[in-house]
Amino acid sequence: MMRPNWFIILPVCAFVVVCALDIVRESPPWDMGDIALDIAETALLVLMVVAVAWSTQRVTQMRDDQQAFRDALVRHAAQGADWRAARSQEIAAMSDAIALEFRAWGLTGEEMDVAELLLKGASLKEIALAQRTSLAQVRDRANAVYRKAGISGRVALSAYFLDSLFAQTARHQ
């Protein structure tokens, strides 16, 4: 069953009542032009009230949605922190393994920093801003990482490490 939409019903009722009172209040003979003008004025007023009420409802809904989003972010951040705390040894071991692989590839310190940020999902522009260097330098370092690792790019860099993790997970199931 459909619920009545009070944002429409109440203004329409108000419109009818105001128009009826305005017409009754006018002294005969009634001029159709005056009546039409009164109805139009009242309709515009009611339309503006409806627009304000609808806008207020939308703003309230947006605020509720934003708060729900913030709450979800806080909840997910806490879950991530819990996961990292529970898996701290495995994470440390993986970090060490990645650093060993970077050294085996012969990466410089700057290239290792770029590779680490690439693995974390940072864009080249974000890396340049974080390292306070030019985008061209970051691009050169990223290309050096790819070349030394023998891979084609960012996706291959992530896949290089993630494939091993997921292949191991599949074997344990």
Side-chain angles (χ1 to χ4, degrees), residues 97-110:
I98 290 171
L100 282 172
E101 195 65 17
F102 285 172
R103 283 194 285 282
W105 291 343
L107 301 184
T108 66
E110 292 86 6

Side-chain angles (χ1 to χ4, degrees), residues 112-173:
M112 286 184 194
D113 292 342
V114 168
E116 180 182 322
L117 290 169
L118 288 170
L119 283 173
K120 289 180 178 181
S123 70
L124 295 178
K125 187 176 182 180
E126 290 168 334
I127 295 170
L129 289 171
Q131 295 185 341
R132 298 177 189 220
T133 188
S134 71
L135 185 59
Q137 274 189 318
V138 171
R139 190 174 288 116
D140 290 342
R141 290 175 186 158
N143 287 330
V145 169
Y146 305 146
R147 185 181 66 256
K148 290 178 180 182
I151 57 178
S152 60
R154 175 192 303 261
V155 173
L157 178 65
S158 295
Y160 183 88
F161 296 104
L162 291 175
D163 278 349
S164 299
L165 292 175
F166 291 126
Q168 191 175 25
T169 302
R171 284 193 298 266
H172 289 299
Q173 291 179 351

